[in-house]
Amino acid sequence: MIFSDTIVAPATAAGIGALAVIRVSGTDALTITSAVFKGKDLTLAPSHTVHYGFITTQDKTELIDEVMVAVFKAPKSFTSENTTEISCHGSPLVVNKIVEALIAAGARLAKPGEFSLRAFINGRINLAQAEAVADIIASENDMQHKVALQQMRGGFANELQILRQQLIDYTALIELELDFGEEDVEFAKREQLIAFIDNFSAHITELIHSFKAGNAIKEGIPIAIIGKPNAGKSTLLNALLNEERAIVSDIAGTTRDTI
């Protein structure tokens, strides 16, 4: 079976909410969405506009929901493709019916992470930013969210780009000097080259340390609470977690399993 290159997926987390967002991306995103949208012709709508209407079945015989549809035309979208975002009511039944209607019109379900993959392939984001999108979704505290957001905005990638350009510049000077080796011409001054290598090495070391710190924030740090029986290990664990995770008892050896 041949599918359109246009993909569709709910862009909201699992569960029931007042509203849900269904994202459609691909060459035929506007045409496919218009096929099930009763309202303005979305193929003629300007980019970055929102339109009111109804989603219907492809044969227009059944109204599914009252919606707002945002239009983003290539390349000014998250995936750099034509994209629509359908804001509908959050009922899983409604969301599923809209997705089914879009699939019937020629779209296919997106694979996990495919929107970010397309953004990466189309040069909209780099690999570090694509990973940061997943980190933002999975963040459980303010620090994790802050680190992931900085990464998504290109913080780490920008640092690498600066280092890469410096390496290219100095490599060009060294190659130029080799071309004129017989004429005893010095383009890359030795003192500046040594200083550059020292600074470059120090910068790389800082980035390595920042990665370790960021990874600790993201993944956490394994910590063992060790002590004599009834020394208060379970009480300390419960206090740190602010929940009754371990049994607290006067009987020695109550907590035997790894928690």
Side-chain angles (χ1 to χ4, degrees), residues 63-134:
L63 288 179
I64 298 176
D65 195 20
E66 184 179 26
V67 301
M68 301 291 291
V69 179
V71 173
F72 304 93
K73 293 188 175 181
K76 296 182 179 181
S77 70
F78 176 70
T79 58
S80 292
E81 302 172 333
N82 288 334
T83 302
T84 60
E85 292 184 355
I86 304 170
S87 298
C88 62
H89 291 97
S91 163
L93 175 65
V94 171
V95 172
N96 289 337
K97 278 183 169 290
I98 294 176
V99 170
E100 288 171 0
L102 291 165
I103 292 175
R108 66 168 174 83
L109 278 176
K111 299 175 183 177
E114 188 168 357
F115 283 91
S116 296
L117 175 62
R118 289 193 175 201
F120 168 68
I121 291 175
N122 293 330
R124 174 66 174 76
I125 58 177
N126 56 46
L127 184 59
Q129 289 172 310
E131 293 175 347
V133 172

Side-chain angles (χ1 to χ4, degrees), residues 1-7 25-29 32 105-108 118:
M1 183 178 294
I2 299 176
F3 289 99
S4 165
D5 75 330
T6 301
I7 55 176
S25 180
T27 305
D28 300 322
I32 289 174
R108 66 168 174 83
R118 289 193 175 201

